[in-house]
Amino acid sequence: MHNYIHGEIDHAEAPLTGARLEAILSRAHAMKARVAATPQGYLLDLLDRVARAWSAPDYPYRVEALRQLPARIGFSPAMIEAGVEVMVDLLRRESLLTRLGCDLGDARMLDDWVFDARFQGLVKAQPLGVLAHVSAGNVFVGGVDSLIQGIVTRNVNLMKMSSVDPIFPVLFATSLRDHDQRGDIARSLALLTWKGGDQGVERVLKRDCNAIVVYGGADTIRSYRRDLGLHTRLIEYGPKYSFVMVAADALERRGLSACARLIARDAVMWEQSACSSPHVVYVEGRETAERLMAALGAALTCWAEEIPPGAISDDAAVEIDKVRELAKVERAMGVGDLLHGGGAGWTLALRDDPEFETSCQHRTLIIKPVDRLESVIERVAPMGEYIQTVALLTDEARARRLGRALSALGADRMVEIGRMAVRKHGTPHDGTRGLATLVRWTSLARDRLEQGVESAPWRRLDDSGDSFDFLPDAERDAQTRSRLLQVIEDCRQGSPLLRERYAGIALSGLDDVRRLPLMSGEDYKLHLPPRGDGLLTAGASDGYVFSSGGTTGAPKLVYRTVAEQHANALRLGKGLALSVFGPGDVVANLLFAGSMWASFVSYNQALEVTGCRILPISGNLPMEQIVEQLTGYGATAIITIPSVLLSLAEYVEAHGVALRIDKVATGGEHLFAGSRAYLSRVLGITRFASTGYTTNDTGAIGYQCEHCEGGVHHVHEDLHHVELLHPETLAPVGPGEIGKVVVTNLQRRLMPTIRYDVGDLGRWVEGECPCGRRTRRMELLGRADDVLIIGGGNIQPEVVAAAIAAVPGLGAHFQLRARLDGHRDQLVVRVERAADTAPEDAAGLAEALSRRLLHDSKEIRAMTEAGLVAPTRIEVLALEGIERNPKTGKIRLTVDERG
């Protein structure tokens, strides 16, 4: 039996003394400031690396736990394996972020001040300091979970290990030390053993710690309450008990065998030693209870093969025999029944007495029939705050009613059957927001914030924070690297297509990531419903489906969950809030709505972040109707594509409308200098901004602050990992060099976006931005592929090629050109006629192709009908009429003449 003290294994045999503990705590207090300053990204990255290590079956510390623990704590190897997997899940980055967000309200609060709109001030969470954990010996993972909570809240942690298990916490701490590159966290842990009740040791603990977290029975809790230091916080998790409530109708609907297997699993886990383990199963109706009892016996027999029982002490065996003998007597009296698995296996005792009682554990359940579940409330009322978890098998409305009554009594947690032993990340713990008890809350009030003179930081709904943008490169990169590896691994596990593509590629760093093949728009077309499958990681039963270009017969679709859509909209809104819009603005959304396009919906949600008033008008209404609503509702700003804005200006100028717009945000196509001057003259626009660098396929990639101009954007590093690669070698390019833009979305898991070739060219911009944000900046330099953007719509060459092939008399060679007709974009299609086509047929062929393009391309049709682009010009040329490269004979497929 060894202690672990500040990063070292302590082999001393002498018992811990009060003086020795004083020295350990003195060193712990000296480390508080350094541990509190550890960046959240580093902590999450560290714990996630430990999780990945323990997830490997051959990890040495995992193997050692399986070798030592079964004999030590009486759990079977299969149960130890299950416990290790629970710890791995607790350590994962996404799990920790969920707990931080749920318990603290905003994960950023440990890093920096966070604006609270209701308080109209700033709030920050500070670690308590030196945190002692007194662990119980019932579930070996529990002590490590308590340590994890102390670590992630940046406390210095000391633990009194249970005499039952002084092994697993030390294995965890040693593993943490192996992965802690800085060493501060490993050195901030002290895992100790001493005999409970040692006054000389515990007096020092109560006096010198900032807080003590105690898990244990009533006597243990009472002992730590006595003589507690004036400024020492006691966080108690005392004895708790749990049970199951089964409605007869719900049991019939869900199926007897299926429900019995779930209830039995809850009784099997941790051999019923956890506070969340069920002791009693209340069932409506005696006959239903007897049927469930038989089904539970069969289920427990099956579970014994999957997770065998552990070794049972002689005392426990005696208690099991007592339960069985009493049940036999009750059966003879007609007030009970008994089923058991023989030996020291499972035991089921049916008793007509409805009062709650505790079982002797080791897979022993007491089944109690009742007339109605509502009568149970009175029977368990004396338990009050001793109730922890109640599994409810009822319909939804009844579960809510029973849950309210149980909650009022003192119950902490109501769950579905089969979920008693599985704590959902972020749920309250024994009536508390667990992590919130391990921090001290502070505030900073500023008159300017209260008076609204300066705008508050933009609102967040996800894990990161605006403070992320100001972190040094190394800290941001550490967070990004961890999230990048995690999202790739998650998507590889969930997507059949990526599982096949990434087979055999082990991921440990960015060099491994660069070995993954690039994705393209063709992957979305071929491997997403309705044309194909394989890319999605789950069934897309909810969320959003957006169309991303293509012909009317074969659109490219994009699938997002609601959470993914909102996270993307928040990034879009961040850019708008930083660059152009804010409270007091009345912003008209003149992006195109309908046809499953994403922009109108996404930017409507994005505008909510800025605090402006929103006019959701849409840009594909008749222009007179748009103008009427702009003037009628007092619009002062617009978000749209340049073609709509220019058409609006032309209408205003032609009809002498008195309309003045102060600010605009545009995207989707170029807004040239001459067009800006025209818009400023006609509409009075004084401030132009970008809607951000975004594509429907990938989401928000970049944003502009008030100092970014032209194609320069900050990268949304908390949402995307961006690579700029040499167009031919695909090697990363250096600052100033031109490369193709390849992005990985760090949040999307439903429809993976991993190393996606956006089709744009860009280069990294060196130097610091005057705004103070340290996120990397890139300058967009145009398209890398053959797509032309006309009036905000992507014109795909394959769409034009298909239309040409459908018109007899036209040849296969064509070229697309983008021109300006006044202030409006115009698509020019130059196509050679077939060899057997007469020159005089050119006009008819041009008209036929024009009609075909309007029919096949919803982008061309919508833009043309709205008057946002000039009508498409078709030029039918003679054979060899399109210029060829004199060296290669190739035709340049797209030409942009608007620059």
Side-chain angles (χ1 to χ4, degrees):
M1 185 185 303
H2 303 300
N3 294 330
Y4 173 101
I5 303 176
H6 302 311
E8 301 294 334
I9 301 296
D10 178 43
H11 299 283
E13 298 295 332
L16 183 72
T17 65
R20 174 77 166 130
L21 181 59
E22 282 183 337
I24 292 171
L25 286 173
S26 176
R27 185 175 176 185
H29 280 284
M31 299 185 67
K32 288 193 297 188
R34 190 170 181 86
V35 172
T38 305
Q40 185 183 87
Y42 178 82
L43 282 175
L44 297 177
D45 194 30
L46 167 61
L47 295 173
D48 196 66
R49 286 199 302 272
V50 175
R52 288 201 296 272
W54 277 86
S55 67
D58 58 351
Y59 184 55
Y61 296 130
R62 179 170 180 153
V63 173
E64 186 65 13
L66 285 168
R67 186 183 71 83
Q68 292 199 50
L69 290 183
R72 180 94 195 183
I73 64 178
F75 284 175
S76 67
M79 189 74 78
I80 302 298
E81 288 274 17
V84 169
E85 289 302 319
V86 168
M87 183 192 72
V88 167
D89 187 47
L90 290 169
L91 288 165
R92 291 192 190 281
R93 181 188 186 90
E94 296 303 320
S95 303
L96 293 169
L97 285 169
T98 299
R99 294 178 82 170
L100 284 164
C102 291
D103 287 359
L104 304 185
D106 192 317
R108 296 175 297 161
M109 288 183 176
L110 280 163
D111 272 325
D112 204 352
W113 296 107
V114 173
F115 180 76
D116 187 304
R118 294 161 296 184
F119 162 56
Q120 291 291 296
L122 301 168
V123 179
K124 189 179 187 307
Q126 287 291 135
L128 292 179
V130 176
L131 185 62
H133 308 258
V134 180
S135 65
N138 55 341
V139 179
F140 71 98
V141 184
V144 171
D145 182 22
S146 192
L147 279 177
I148 293 169
Q149 294 180 60
I151 292 169
V152 82
T153 49
R154 306 183 200 183
N155 289 286
V156 177
N157 295 277
L158 178 148
M159 170 180 277
K160 178 189 183 301
M161 295 185 288
S162 163
S163 60
V164 175
D165 174 29
I167 295 170
F168 193 64
V170 173
L171 291 175
F172 166 73
T174 310
S175 173
L176 188 79
R177 183 186 64 184
D178 292 349
H179 290 86
D180 185 7
Q181 297 161 353
R182 299 184 177 189
D184 293 337
I185 305 305
R187 286 190 293 270
S188 72
L189 300 181
L191 312 180
L192 310 171
T193 55
W194 69 84
K195 183 175 176 56
D198 185 325
Q199 294 299 311
V201 172
E202 292 179 359
R203 186 182 303 110
V204 174
L205 194 75
K206 297 175 187 178
R207 182 192 69 202
D208 292 352
C209 289
N210 297 106
I212 304 176
V213 183
V214 182
Y215 293 83
D219 290 342
T220 300
I221 298 297
R222 292 190 187 100
S223 73
Y224 276 92
R225 286 179 179 176
R226 288 193 296 269
D227 304 320
L228 195 66
L230 182 61
H231 295 291
T232 300
R233 180 184 298 185
L234 186 64
I235 302 163
E236 306 173 358
Y237 296 110
K240 296 275 186 174
Y241 305 98
S242 302
F243 55 89
V244 182
M245 300 174 72
V246 177
D249 58 347
L251 183 63
E252 295 303 320
R253 283 196 304 271
R254 292 276 297 272
L256 183 64
S257 297
C259 292
R261 179 171 174 79
L262 292 171
I263 295 170
R265 183 187 187 280
D266 286 332
V268 165
M269 290 305 298
W270 321 127
E271 301 299 344
Q272 286 179 285
S273 62
C275 294
S276 60
S277 299
H279 293 265
V280 174
V281 181
Y282 288 103
V283 188
E284 284 186 324
R286 176 64 183 262
E287 186 270 336
T288 303
E290 291 171 348
R291 291 172 53 233
L292 179 58
M293 183 178 180
L296 282 170
L300 286 166
T301 299
C302 290
W303 277 114
E305 296 179 3
E306 297 181 39
I307 304 179
I312 295 178
S313 68
D314 291 341
D315 289 344
V318 169
E319 293 303 315
I320 292 171
D321 285 340
K322 287 180 181 179
V323 171
R324 292 177 180 177
E325 291 304 316
L326 177 59
K328 290 176 183 178
V329 173
E330 290 173 331
R331 180 168 60 188
M333 297 173 61
V335 292
D337 204 350
L338 172 68
L339 280 179
H340 64 84
W346 55 266
T347 302
L348 299 172
L350 187 147
R351 290 179 182 160
D352 288 338
D353 177 8
E355 301 299 328
F356 179 83
E357 58 186 291
T358 59
S359 76
C360 61
Q361 303 178 359
H362 301 287
R363 311 191 184 195
T364 300
L365 283 173
I366 313 299
I367 301 168
K368 294 183 177 268
V370 294
D371 291 335
R372 285 184 55 76
L373 293 182
E374 284 71 13
S375 66
V376 174
I377 302 301
E378 181 180 352
R379 299 298 181 179
V380 300
M383 294 175 59
E385 293 185 358
Y386 285 97
I387 306 172
Q388 197 216 55
T389 302
V390 183
L392 297 171
L393 178 57
T394 71
D395 61 52
E396 183 67 23
R398 199 175 186 191
R400 290 173 182 258
R401 289 196 302 271
L402 290 169
R404 283 193 292 269
L406 291 163
S407 178
L409 286 182
D412 298 318
R413 178 171 169 254
M414 279 60 72
V415 299
E416 297 273 7
I417 56 171
R419 298 298 301 271
M420 300 180 78
V422 181
R423 179 168 293 278
K424 190 174 183 181
H425 300 304
T427 57
H429 181 205
D430 281 9
T432 73
R433 285 293 189 185
L435 299 182
T437 66
L438 307 184
V439 298
R440 178 172 55 84
W441 296 97
T442 62
S443 65
L444 176 63
R446 309 298 298 162
D447 290 344
R448 295 181 69 194
L449 284 174
E450 293 176 8
Q451 296 164 6
V453 175
E454 64 183 34
S455 60
W458 59 289
R459 184 171 56 91
R460 301 287 303 206
L461 295 180
D462 68 326
D463 54 66
S464 309
D466 201 28
S467 58
F468 176 89
D469 291 1
F470 298 91
L471 295 175
D473 289 354
E475 294 182 18
R476 296 195 326 279
D477 290 348
Q479 292 191 34
T480 298
R481 181 174 60 252
S482 175
R483 295 185 66 198
L484 177 67
L485 295 175
Q486 187 65 57
V487 76
I488 293 173
E489 189 58 39
D490 290 349
C491 292
R492 169 159 60 179
Q493 295 299 321
S495 165
L497 175 68
L498 298 187
R499 190 159 54 245
E500 178 182 342
R501 281 191 182 177
Y502 300 167
I505 302 178
L507 295 175
S508 60
L510 293 182
D511 288 340
D512 298 320
V513 172
R514 295 188 186 110
R515 296 167 56 200
L516 301 178
L518 300 186
M519 293 179 65
S520 70
E522 284 302 304
D523 291 314
Y524 287 174
K525 290 181 180 179
L526 298 177
H527 301 291
L528 287 172
R531 294 182 65 191
D533 54 34
L535 182 55
L536 294 182
T537 60
S541 59
D542 60 358
Y544 288 83
V545 182
F546 293 119
S547 175
S548 181
T551 67
T552 53
K556 181 171 58 172
L557 299 180
V558 172
Y559 292 79
R560 297 179 192 163
T561 67
V562 171
E564 291 169 350
Q565 169 67 9
H566 286 175
N568 185 66
L570 281 167
R571 297 331 192 285
L572 297 175
K574 170 184 177 177
L576 296 176
L578 290 175
S579 63
V580 61
F581 299 139
D585 291 327
V586 181
V587 184
N589 184 348
L590 298 187
L591 294 163
F592 270 37
S595 294
M596 295 176 64
W597 287 318
S599 59
F600 186 82
V601 174
S602 297
Y603 278 100
N604 234 44
Q605 294 172 329
L607 288 170
E608 296 173 8
V609 177
T610 70
C612 71
R613 177 178 293 177
I614 305 167
L615 304 179
I617 296 172
S618 92
N620 46 339
L621 292 176
M623 192 53 66
E624 60 271 21
Q625 191 172 340
I626 292 176
V627 171
E628 180 182 349
Q629 296 195 29
L630 291 174
T631 56
Y633 296 105
T636 62
I638 291 173
I639 183 168
T640 190
I641 59 174
S643 293
V644 171
L645 200 58
L646 290 164
S647 295
L648 171 65
E650 291 171 351
Y651 183 95
V652 167
E653 186 176 40
H655 293 80
V657 178
L659 175 65
R660 308 299 285 176
I661 299 296
D662 182 41
K663 305 173 182 178
V664 296
T666 60
E669 55 184 333
H670 292 292
L671 183 60
F672 299 100
S675 298
R676 288 190 178 208
Y678 172 72
L679 291 168
S680 295
R681 177 175 62 81
V682 175
L683 297 178
I685 298 171
T686 60
R687 191 169 178 183
F688 293 89
S690 166
T691 55
Y693 177 32
T694 180
T695 76
N696 190 35
D697 296 349
T698 64
I701 302 170
Y703 65 94
Q704 289 193 324
C705 68
E706 62 272 26
H707 299 284
C708 290
E709 296 181 351
V712 176
H713 291 75
H714 286 273
V715 174
H716 283 295
E717 291 183 9
D718 57 348
L719 186 63
H720 277 104
H721 172 63
V722 175
E723 303 171 76
L724 296 185
L725 306 179
H726 190 281
E728 295 180 5
T729 66
L730 298 184
V733 301
E737 298 179 38
I738 297 176
K740 64 193 305 182
V741 181
V742 173
V743 303
T744 298
N745 190 299
L746 302 174
Q747 189 235 9
R748 270 203 219 163
R749 283 168 168 77
L750 173 60
M751 189 188 83
T753 304
I754 298 174
R755 303 204 80 208
Y756 184 84
D757 185 351
V758 178
D760 291 332
L761 295 174
R763 61 185 168 206
W764 294 118
V765 177
E766 292 188 280
E768 295 184 2
C769 183
C771 76
R773 285 174 169 77
R774 299 186 179 186
T775 46
R776 291 170 177 81
R777 291 177 297 158
M778 61 181 293
E779 182 182 10
L780 295 176
L781 300 173
R783 296 292 292 176
D785 56 19
D786 293 318
V787 175
L788 278 179
I789 299 177
I790 303 291
N794 289 347
I795 307 303
Q796 307 280 353
E798 58 263 32
V799 176
V800 178
I804 290 172
V807 178
L810 293 178
H813 297 294
F814 69 96
Q815 183 183 71
L816 307 180
R817 290 178 177 259
R819 296 175 180 169
L820 285 177
D821 182 8
H823 296 293
R824 294 187 298 172
D825 285 351
Q826 183 181 48
L827 173 66
V828 178
V829 180
R830 308 181 77 210
V831 57
E832 296 176 359
R833 62 178 183 264
D836 57 352
T837 301
E840 56 268 23
D841 294 336
L845 292 172
E847 178 62 28
L849 179 57
S850 179
R851 290 195 303 269
R852 188 75 194 189
L853 283 171
L854 287 173
H855 177 271
D856 286 359
S857 173
K858 67 179 182 181
E859 284 81 7
I860 294 176
R861 183 173 65 254
M863 296 291 179
T864 303
E865 290 176 352
L868 302 178
V869 299
T872 301
R873 176 183 174 87
I874 308 295
E875 297 178 358
V876 179
L877 308 176
L879 285 174
E880 304 292 327
I882 302 175
E883 301 85 352
R884 267 70 167 173
N885 183 302
K887 293 183 178 180
T888 65
K890 294 181 178 180
I891 294 174
R892 186 177 175 187
L893 186 55
T894 60
V895 179
D896 196 332
E897 300 176 349
R898 296 170 294 186

